[in-house]
Coordinates of all heavy atoms in Angstrom, one line a residue:
V208 N 25.6 84.3 -82.6 CA 25.2 82.9 -82.9 C 26.4 82.3 -83.7 O 26.8 81.1 -83.5 CB 24.0 82.9 -83.8 CG1 23.7 81.5 -84.4 CG2 22.7 83.4 -83.0
C209 N 27.0 83.1 -84.6 CA 28.2 82.6 -85.3 C 29.3 82.3 -84.4 O 30.0 81.2 -84.5 CB 28.6 83.6 -86.4 SG 30.1 83.2 -87.3
G210 N 29.6 83.1 -83.4 CA 30.7 82.9 -82.5 C 30.4 81.7 -81.6 O 31.4 80.9 -81.3
A211 N 29.2 81.4 -81.2 CA 28.9 80.2 -80.5 C 29.2 79.0 -81.3 O 29.7 78.0 -80.7 CB 27.4 80.2 -80.0
S212 N 28.9 79.0 -82.6 CA 29.2 77.9 -83.4 C 30.7 77.7 -83.5 O 31.2 76.5 -83.5 CB 28.6 78.1 -84.8 OG 28.9 77.0 -85.6
I213 N 31.5 78.8 -83.6 CA 32.9 78.7 -83.7 C 33.5 78.1 -82.4 O 34.3 77.2 -82.4 CB 33.6 80.1 -83.9 CG1 33.2 80.6 -85.4 CG2 35.1 80.0 -83.6 CD1 33.7 82.0 -85.6
I214 N 32.9 78.5 -81.3 CA 33.4 78.0 -80.0 C 33.2 76.5 -79.9 O 34.1 75.7 -79.5 CB 32.7 78.7 -78.8 CG1 33.2 80.1 -78.7 CG2 32.9 78.0 -77.5 CD1 32.4 81.0 -77.8
M215 N 32.0 76.0 -80.3 CA 31.8 74.6 -80.3 C 32.7 73.8 -81.2 O 33.1 72.7 -80.9 CB 30.3 74.3 -80.6 CG 29.3 74.9 -79.5 SD 29.7 74.3 -77.8 CE 29.5 72.5 -78.0
A216 N 32.9 74.4 -82.4 CA 33.7 73.7 -83.4 C 35.2 73.6 -82.9 O 35.9 72.6 -83.2 CB 33.6 74.4 -84.7
L217 N 35.6 74.6 -82.2 CA 37.0 74.6 -81.7 C 37.2 73.4 -80.8 O 38.4 72.9 -80.6 CB 37.3 75.9 -80.9 CG 37.4 77.2 -81.7 CD1 37.6 78.4 -80.8 CD2 38.6 77.1 -82.7
Q218 N 36.2 72.9 -80.1 CA 36.4 71.8 -79.2 C 36.7 70.5 -79.9 O 37.2 69.6 -79.2 CB 35.0 71.6 -78.4 CG 34.5 72.8 -77.7 CD 35.5 73.5 -76.9 OE1 36.1 72.9 -76.0 NE2 35.6 74.8 -77.1
S219 N 36.6 70.5 -81.2 CA 36.9 69.2 -81.9 C 38.4 69.1 -82.3 O 38.8 68.1 -82.7 CB 36.1 69.2 -83.2 OG 36.5 70.2 -84.2
I220 N 39.1 70.2 -82.2 CA 40.5 70.2 -82.6 C 41.4 69.2 -81.9 O 42.0 68.3 -82.5 CB 41.1 71.6 -82.5 CG1 40.4 72.6 -83.5 CG2 42.6 71.5 -82.9 CD1 40.9 74.0 -83.3
V221 N 41.4 69.3 -80.6 CA 42.2 68.4 -79.8 C 41.7 67.0 -79.9 O 42.5 66.0 -80.0 CB 42.3 68.9 -78.3 CG1 43.0 67.8 -77.5 CG2 43.0 70.2 -78.2
S222 N 40.4 66.8 -79.9 CA 39.8 65.4 -79.9 C 39.8 64.8 -81.2 O 39.8 63.5 -81.3 CB 38.4 65.5 -79.3 OG 37.5 66.2 -80.2
R223 N 39.9 65.5 -82.3 CA 39.8 64.9 -83.6 C 40.9 65.2 -84.6 O 41.0 64.6 -85.6 CB 38.5 65.3 -84.3 CG 37.2 64.7 -83.6 CD 37.3 63.2 -83.8 NE 36.2 62.5 -83.1 CZ 36.3 62.0 -81.8 NH1 37.4 62.2 -81.1 NH2 35.3 61.4 -81.3
N224 N 41.7 66.2 -84.3 CA 42.8 66.6 -85.2 C 44.2 66.4 -84.7 O 45.2 66.3 -85.5 CB 42.7 68.1 -85.6 CG 41.3 68.4 -86.3 OD1 40.7 69.4 -85.9 ND2 40.9 67.6 -87.2
I225 N 44.3 66.2 -83.4 CA 45.7 66.1 -82.8 C 45.8 64.6 -82.3 O 44.8 64.0 -81.7 CB 45.9 67.0 -81.6 CG1 45.7 68.5 -82.1 CG2 47.2 66.9 -81.0 CD1 46.6 68.9 -83.2
H226 N 47.0 64.0 -82.5 CA 47.2 62.6 -82.0 C 46.9 62.5 -80.5 O 47.3 63.4 -79.7 CB 48.6 62.2 -82.3 CG 48.8 60.8 -82.2 ND1 48.9 60.1 -81.0 CD2 49.0 59.7 -83.1 CE1 49.1 58.8 -81.2 NE2 49.2 58.6 -82.4
P227 N 46.2 61.5 -80.1 CA 45.9 61.4 -78.6 C 47.1 61.4 -77.7 O 47.0 61.6 -76.5 CB 45.2 60.0 -78.6 CG 44.6 59.8 -79.9 CD 45.6 60.4 -80.8

Side-chain angles (χ1 to χ4, degrees):
V208 174
C209 178
S212 181
I213 291 172
I214 290 170
M215 294 307 297
L217 290 174
Q218 309 309 308
S219 69
I220 296 175
V221 172
S222 66
R223 289 298 177 265
N224 302 132
I225 305 301
H226 193 286

